[in-house]
Every structure is written in C-alpha cells, then in structure tokens.
Amino acid sequence: METLKRLGVFDSGLGGLTVLNEICKYNTGLDVVYFGDTARVPYGSRTVETINRYAEQDVRFLLSEGVEAILIACGTVSTNCLPALKRTFSLPIVGVIDAGCEAALAATKTNRIGVIGTRATVNSRAYERRIRELRPEVRTWGVECPLFVPLIENGFAPDDPITVMTVERYLSAFRDTGVDTIIMGCTHYPFLTETLERFMPEVTFINVGKALSRRLTASFRMPEEKTPNRVSYFVSDEDTGFLEIARRYLDAVRADNVQKVNIEQF
Ligand code: DGL
C-alpha cells in the first residue's frame, strides 16, 4: 500500500466539513482537496440517476486536482453510488456506511438502531442492509429528514425555534421503537448534534465522520509526517457563506480561501 498524500473529499455542500474536521483531528501530513457542490445541493431529494451523474463529475474534478484517493463525505452518495463509482474509477474510494454501522453496533445495548438521513439515503436502505449483514438480530428504523440540509446550508442555528421544531417533528417517529442509537446518516447532521441530543438524551447519535476518521488506516497507509494538514477548498457556486460557516464550525483545520469550479464541465 502506497502512503496516501493527496486526498480528495467531496459532499453536496457543507456537510462534508464535519467529516474533514474529524479526519484532520486524527491525522497529520495530509494534503486535502475538498469539493462542496454548493450549486446543486441538496442531492438527497434527487433521483439516483442524477445523484450518480453529479457524483461522477465530482470525482472527475478531484482527479483533475491530482488526488490519489477519494473519501465520499456524503451519506447520500455513499449509500447510492459507491459500487458504481468503484466500477467507473480505478483509484481507491471510501464511503461512510461501514464505519457508521460499526460504530452504531458497538454503541447499541438494545439492538435497536435508528438511521436518519436524506430521502435518497433512507430509500436506499444501505445502512440497514450493512447492519443486518454484520448482526442479523438487530432491528432498524429509517427516518428521512429532508428539511435538515436546507436549514443547515442556510445558516439556521441549532437552537433556532424552526430548527428545534423540525428536529422534534422528525425524531418523534422513533417514539416507542426502543432505539438507543441513531446513525446520523447524512454528514450535515452533526451540525445539529446538540439539538438532537437535547430531544432524545437517552440516545447515542453516531457521527459517521468521526467513526470513519478513526479507521482510515484500514483503507489507506496514512502519512507519517507530523506537519499540519493542508486543505484547498472548492465550491461550484459563488461563495454563499461557505467559508464563514466553515470557519465557525472547523476547529481542526483552517479555512481561509475558497475557489469556484464550473462543475458542469467535468
Ligand atoms: N451531506 C449530504 C449527505 O450526507 C447531504 C445530502 C444532500 O445534499 O441532500 O447525505
């Protein structure tokens, strides 16, 4: 296995930053190219065909930046497109499903696990399938939460009354299920962790980025250099507050400059 130097990370928008932040906490010496498809977010309410087309363009852009491996920091793409992307491209590509499921299985005591995600993620049932492969006796419930991504992308605070009401509305679906663990199957959702935990304090919410960052060594040989990670940021629309939200959220990596890409040309 070659040592990984230049890693491509992508998401439909800001959500992948929650994954990037965790990766930068646990690793050093990385050169990361982050792409957020801010012109076409959200992906999760679109058809699988459209999501596949977008994801292929995202990978082609990252390849043009010389990345050696790809981390799909998006639940929607990981659950709907990973096998097709692996068939189309020859470089190593990793998604967030396996790490998220393993962390949830390690956390549950009731063997009842919830999955929250975009419509496309919940419809794919990919998290549920993986959980059943790993531990067939575990019961799962999937709940789509399509309003979360627009709230986050539009900068609604976790304690804004509209955010709180939306969280309560979606999470009420888990009442009476007995779930003690819920996978935040969309990488945007960790922005809402405190609101989710306040509504269901007895539940462990799994941040798939955190789970993945601790097991990247299973997929890649990580750099041994202790130099700080370097990240270049790209988005597909004029910067509509991306950097500001990134700066507010990221504590493990600096965000000081973002470049615009015409993603349709890839
Ligand atoms: N962060 C993406 C995910 O993990 C958001 C999807 C969307 O754009 O709807 O699913």
Side-chain angles (χ1 to χ4, degrees):
M1 222 193 290
E2 295 266 302
T3 303
L4 176 65
K5 282 301 235 189
R6 197 159 164 83
L7 175 66
V9 178
F10 75 94
D11 178 47
S12 59
L14 282 167
L17 295 176
T18 66
V19 180
L20 176 68
N21 201 44
E22 296 299 330
I23 287 165
C24 290
K25 265 187 215 163
Y26 294 99
N27 301 281
T28 52
L30 274 176
D31 186 6
V32 181
V33 182
Y34 182 94
F35 174 65
D37 196 359
T38 51
R40 307 188 295 192
V41 65
Y43 281 12
S45 316
R46 302 182 194 275
T47 62
V48 176
E49 292 70 31
T50 302
I51 302 166
N52 262 311
R53 181 165 63 81
Y54 288 176
E56 278 195 19
Q57 288 177 308
D58 301 345
V59 172
R60 269 190 234 111
F61 161 66
L62 290 170
L63 279 172
S64 78
E65 287 294 312
V67 303
E68 301 154 347
I70 302 257
L71 199 161
I72 306 172
C74 174
T76 304
V77 174
S78 300
T79 51
N80 284 281
C81 316
L82 184 59
L85 290 175
K86 282 188 163 174
R87 280 195 299 275
T88 308
F89 299 99
S90 56
L91 80 174
I93 305 182
V94 175
V96 293
I97 306 172
D98 288 3
C101 293
E102 285 163 22
L105 287 169
T108 185
K109 298 204 167 44
T110 59
N111 278 352
R112 288 162 181 253
I113 296 177
V115 178
I116 51 175
T118 65
R119 183 161 299 154
T121 290
V122 171
N123 283 345
S124 78
R125 303 193 61 76
Y127 283 105
E128 289 90 331
R129 261 201 314 279
R130 183 68 185 140
I131 287 172
R132 211 155 308 120
E133 273 167 22
L134 294 170
R135 216 189 284 166
E137 69 276 19
V138 172
R139 288 187 66 191
T140 53
W141 286 263
V143 173
E144 57 185 61
C145 307
L147 292 179
F148 283 172
V149 170
L151 285 175
I152 294 159
E153 289 282 334
N154 287 289
F156 275 71
D159 58 354
D160 186 288
I162 296 183
T163 312
V164 175
M165 257 169 51
T166 311
V167 164
E168 290 177 2
R169 170 84 181 250
Y170 287 141
L171 290 197
S172 297
F174 290 109
R175 285 246 163 85
D176 306 324
T177 60
V179 300
D180 66 346
T181 304
I182 294 180
I183 300 175
M184 294 187 281
C186 166
T187 55
H188 277 74
Y189 298 177
F191 285 107
L192 302 178
T193 306
E194 48 184 274
T195 320
L196 297 166
E197 287 178 344
R198 206 172 309 125
F199 187 65
M200 292 187 92
E202 71 288 6
V203 164
T204 304
F205 285 89
I206 303 294
N207 175 336
V208 293
K210 195 177 274 180
L212 178 66
S213 64
R214 293 181 180 161
R215 64 193 288 291
L216 264 192
T217 44
S219 309
F220 306 122
R221 190 150 142 221
M222 302 306 284
E224 276 159 25
E225 292 88 344
K226 297 290 169 235
T227 49
N229 300 302
R230 279 191 19 209
V231 186
S232 325
Y233 296 92
F234 294 87
V235 291
S236 51
D237 206 352
E238 295 304 331
D239 181 14
T240 47
F242 178 92
L243 262 187
E244 198 208 312
I245 299 179
R247 280 202 202 104
R248 210 182 319 146
Y249 181 78
L250 295 171
D251 53 20
V253 70
R254 281 181 50 177
D256 42 22
N257 160 331
V258 58
Q259 297 168 63
K260 190 184 159 199
V261 179
N262 177 3
I263 195 65
E264 291 295 355
Q265 79 186 28
F266 288 91

